[in-house]
Amino acid sequence: MQQGEHFERKKGLAVFLSLIMLGAIAVAVFKAVELLSLLVDFDSKPFYFRLPLVALPLLITSPMLLMLIYIMLRRNFGNLPEQHFALWVKISLVLLAVAFAVRIVLGFWLPGYVAAHGFTHCSKLENPSPFASQVWVRQPQYCHELSYLVNVEVLDWFDEQQAAGIMPSNDEVTAQIELFIAERKQRYQ
C-alpha cells in the first residue's frame, strides 16, 4: 500500500515538474519574441529598454525541456526506450553548443547594433545577476553616476514614464534619482 502511494507521488511530481518546464518554455518564447520585435523596431521604445541577451539561447534550448518532459512522463507512465534517452543526450549537447555560440555572437554583435540606433549602455542601472538584461538609454545623461544605488526604483519609474508616453528630461531623471536616494537614506537611518 505504501509503495503504491510512493509511486503515485512520483507520478504527481513528474506532472508538476512538466508543467513548470512548460511554463519556462512559454517564458523563453515570450522573451525571444520581445527581443526580436525590439530589434526590428527601436522606435517603439522611446527612451530606454532592457535587452535580454539570454532570450534567444533559452529559446534554442527549449526543446531540451520538451525532451526532458517526455522522458519523465514516459518513465513514470510507461516504459522509456534506451534509444530515446541516448537521442535526448545527443540532441541536448548540440542544442547547448548552438545556444552557447548564439550567446557569444549576440554578446559581440548586439551592443554595436543597438548603439548604432542611438542608445547608450547603462551598466549602473543593471541588476548584477549574470542572466539580467542589459539596460540601454537614449540619453547618456539618464545613466546618472549614482543610479546604481537605486537602480530598481529608477527602472520602475522609467517603466511608469514609458507606459504614460512621457519622455523625461535629463533634469527630471536626475531629480528623481536624487529623490530615490534621499528616500532610501531616510528609510535605512
Side-chain angles (χ1 to χ4, degrees):
M1 171 127 163
Q2 196 170 22
Q3 188 176 19
E5 287 177 17
H6 178 68
F7 184 68
E8 289 301 317
R9 232 181 279 141
K10 282 180 65 178
K11 280 183 172 180
L13 181 62
V15 170
F16 178 71
L17 290 175
S18 297
L19 291 174
I20 289 175
M21 286 187 263
L22 285 174
I25 292 169
V27 168
V29 169
F30 175 76
K31 289 291 187 184
V33 168
E34 186 179 60
L35 173 64
L36 293 174
S37 68
L38 173 69
L39 295 178
V40 171
D41 183 22
F42 277 108
D43 294 330
S44 67
K45 302 291 182 194
F47 68 90
Y48 109 100
F49 65 90
R50 300 174 200 198
L51 186 65
L53 290 176
V54 296
L56 290 177
L58 285 176
L59 183 64
I60 291 168
T61 58
S62 290
M64 289 173 42
L65 291 177
L66 288 174
M67 288 183 278
L68 192 56
I69 290 169
Y70 169 78
I71 287 170
M72 277 192 325
L73 294 178
R74 283 294 296 253
R75 186 167 181 244
N76 287 295
F77 292 98
N79 63 348
L80 176 65
E82 186 66 33
Q83 66 268 19
H84 288 193
F85 185 76
L87 178 64
W88 175 76
V89 170
K90 289 175 187 173
I91 291 173
S92 294
L93 291 174
V94 170
L95 289 173
L96 285 173
V98 170
F100 187 68
V102 166
R103 173 56 181 93
I104 290 172
V105 169
L106 284 177
F108 285 110
W109 171 75
L110 209 48
Y113 180 76
V114 173
H117 283 84
F119 288 90
T120 302
H121 180 232
C122 183
S123 62
K124 293 178 181 104
L125 288 172
E126 292 173 3
N127 186 330
S129 165
F131 297 107
S133 300
Q134 289 184 347
V135 175
W136 291 79
V137 293
R138 193 170 293 274
Q139 299 291 327
Q141 295 83 358
Y142 285 179
C143 193
H144 190 273
E145 184 178 312
L146 298 175
S147 60
Y148 71 93
L149 296 171
V150 288
N151 62 347
V152 173
E153 293 90 344
V154 172
L155 292 177
D156 288 344
W157 184 73
F158 277 2
D159 288 339
E160 291 171 9
Q161 300 303 303
Q162 197 153 274
I166 299 170
M167 185 168 172
S169 70
N170 295 335
D171 292 337
E172 289 173 319
V173 171
T174 301
Q176 192 65 42
I177 290 170
E178 290 171 358
L179 176 66
F180 287 141
I181 291 171
E183 288 174 352
R184 178 169 276 197
K185 284 180 183 177
Q186 186 178 31
R187 200 174 328 141
Y188 293 109
Q189 282 183 348

